[in-house]
Short mmCIF file of all heavy atoms in Angstrom, two decimals:
data_model
loop_
_atom_site.label_atom_id
_atom_site.label_comp_id
_atom_site.label_asym_id
_atom_site.label_seq_id
_atom_site.Cartn_x
_atom_site.Cartn_y
_atom_site.Cartn_z
N VAL A 286 187.09 -89.06 -135.20
CA VAL A 286 186.88 -90.47 -135.53
C VAL A 286 187.55 -91.39 -134.51
O VAL A 286 186.98 -92.40 -134.08
CB VAL A 286 187.41 -90.78 -136.95
CG1 VAL A 286 187.32 -92.28 -137.23
CG2 VAL A 286 186.61 -90.01 -137.98
N GLU A 287 188.78 -91.03 -134.11
CA GLU A 287 189.50 -91.90 -133.17
C GLU A 287 188.80 -91.97 -131.81
O GLU A 287 188.96 -92.96 -131.08
CB GLU A 287 190.95 -91.42 -133.00
CG GLU A 287 191.12 -90.05 -132.37
CD GLU A 287 191.10 -88.93 -133.37
OE1 GLU A 287 190.61 -89.15 -134.52
OE2 GLU A 287 191.57 -87.82 -133.04
N LEU A 288 188.01 -90.94 -131.46
CA LEU A 288 187.26 -90.97 -130.20
C LEU A 288 185.91 -91.65 -130.36
O LEU A 288 185.39 -92.23 -129.41
CB LEU A 288 187.08 -89.54 -129.67
CG LEU A 288 188.38 -88.78 -129.35
CD1 LEU A 288 188.07 -87.41 -128.79
CD2 LEU A 288 189.24 -89.58 -128.37
N THR A 289 185.35 -91.58 -131.57
CA THR A 289 184.10 -92.29 -131.84
C THR A 289 184.27 -93.80 -131.66
O THR A 289 183.33 -94.51 -131.31
CB THR A 289 183.62 -91.98 -133.28
OG1 THR A 289 183.27 -90.60 -133.36
CG2 THR A 289 182.41 -92.81 -133.65
N GLU A 290 185.48 -94.29 -131.86
CA GLU A 290 185.76 -95.72 -131.70
C GLU A 290 185.63 -96.17 -130.25
O GLU A 290 185.46 -97.36 -129.98
CB GLU A 290 187.15 -96.04 -132.22
CG GLU A 290 187.28 -95.84 -133.74
CD GLU A 290 188.70 -96.03 -134.23
OE1 GLU A 290 189.60 -96.21 -133.38
OE2 GLU A 290 188.91 -96.01 -135.47
N LYS A 291 185.70 -95.23 -129.32
CA LYS A 291 185.56 -95.58 -127.90
C LYS A 291 184.09 -95.87 -127.58
O LYS A 291 183.19 -95.19 -128.05
CB LYS A 291 186.04 -94.43 -127.01
CG LYS A 291 187.46 -93.94 -127.32
CD LYS A 291 188.50 -94.95 -126.91
CE LYS A 291 189.91 -94.39 -127.10
NZ LYS A 291 190.96 -95.37 -126.71
N ARG A 292 183.87 -96.89 -126.76
CA ARG A 292 182.49 -97.25 -126.36
C ARG A 292 182.22 -96.59 -125.01
O ARG A 292 182.70 -97.04 -123.98
CB ARG A 292 182.34 -98.76 -126.28
CG ARG A 292 180.89 -99.24 -126.11
CD ARG A 292 180.78 -100.71 -126.45
NE ARG A 292 179.41 -101.19 -126.33
CZ ARG A 292 178.95 -101.87 -125.29
NH1 ARG A 292 179.78 -102.18 -124.28
NH2 ARG A 292 177.70 -102.28 -125.25
N ILE A 293 181.44 -95.52 -125.04
CA ILE A 293 181.24 -94.66 -123.89
C ILE A 293 179.99 -95.08 -123.10
O ILE A 293 178.92 -95.28 -123.67
CB ILE A 293 181.11 -93.19 -124.33
CG1 ILE A 293 182.35 -92.75 -125.13
CG2 ILE A 293 180.88 -92.29 -123.13
CD1 ILE A 293 183.64 -92.82 -124.35
N ALA A 294 180.17 -95.18 -121.78
CA ALA A 294 179.07 -95.58 -120.91
C ALA A 294 178.46 -94.39 -120.17
O ALA A 294 177.29 -94.43 -119.77
CB ALA A 294 179.54 -96.61 -119.89
N GLN A 295 179.26 -93.34 -119.96
CA GLN A 295 178.75 -92.14 -119.31
C GLN A 295 179.60 -90.94 -119.72
O GLN A 295 180.74 -91.09 -120.16
CB GLN A 295 178.74 -92.28 -117.79
CG GLN A 295 180.10 -92.48 -117.15
CD GLN A 295 179.99 -92.62 -115.63
OE1 GLN A 295 178.93 -92.96 -115.09
NE2 GLN A 295 181.06 -92.36 -114.93
N ILE A 296 179.00 -89.75 -119.59
CA ILE A 296 179.73 -88.53 -119.89
C ILE A 296 179.62 -87.57 -118.70
O ILE A 296 178.66 -87.63 -117.91
CB ILE A 296 179.21 -87.83 -121.16
CG1 ILE A 296 177.71 -87.49 -121.04
CG2 ILE A 296 179.48 -88.68 -122.38
CD1 ILE A 296 177.17 -86.65 -122.19
N LYS A 297 180.61 -86.71 -118.61
CA LYS A 297 180.62 -85.66 -117.59
C LYS A 297 180.57 -84.32 -118.32
O LYS A 297 181.45 -84.00 -119.11
CB LYS A 297 181.88 -85.76 -116.72
CG LYS A 297 181.94 -84.76 -115.59
CD LYS A 297 183.19 -85.01 -114.75
CE LYS A 297 183.26 -84.06 -113.56
NZ LYS A 297 184.47 -84.31 -112.74
N VAL A 298 179.53 -83.56 -118.06
CA VAL A 298 179.34 -82.24 -118.67
C VAL A 298 179.88 -81.20 -117.70
O VAL A 298 179.42 -81.11 -116.56
CB VAL A 298 177.86 -81.97 -118.99
CG1 VAL A 298 177.69 -80.60 -119.62
CG2 VAL A 298 177.29 -83.06 -119.88
N VAL A 299 180.86 -80.42 -118.14
CA VAL A 299 181.50 -79.43 -117.27
C VAL A 299 181.19 -78.03 -117.81
O VAL A 299 181.51 -77.71 -118.97
CB VAL A 299 183.03 -79.64 -117.22
CG1 VAL A 299 183.67 -78.61 -116.28
CG2 VAL A 299 183.35 -81.06 -116.75
N MET A 300 180.57 -77.20 -116.98
CA MET A 300 180.30 -75.81 -117.34
C MET A 300 181.40 -74.92 -116.77
O MET A 300 181.74 -75.03 -115.58
CB MET A 300 178.96 -75.34 -116.78
CG MET A 300 177.77 -75.94 -117.46
SD MET A 300 176.25 -74.96 -117.22
CE MET A 300 175.97 -75.15 -115.46
#
Side-chain angles (χ1 to χ4, degrees):
V286 174
E287 65 272 18
L288 299 182
T289 294
E290 294 174 354
K291 307 289 185 180
R292 190 163 181 259
I293 303 299
Q295 62 180 21
I296 58 173
K297 183 177 183 179
V298 180
V299 182
M300 288 201 294

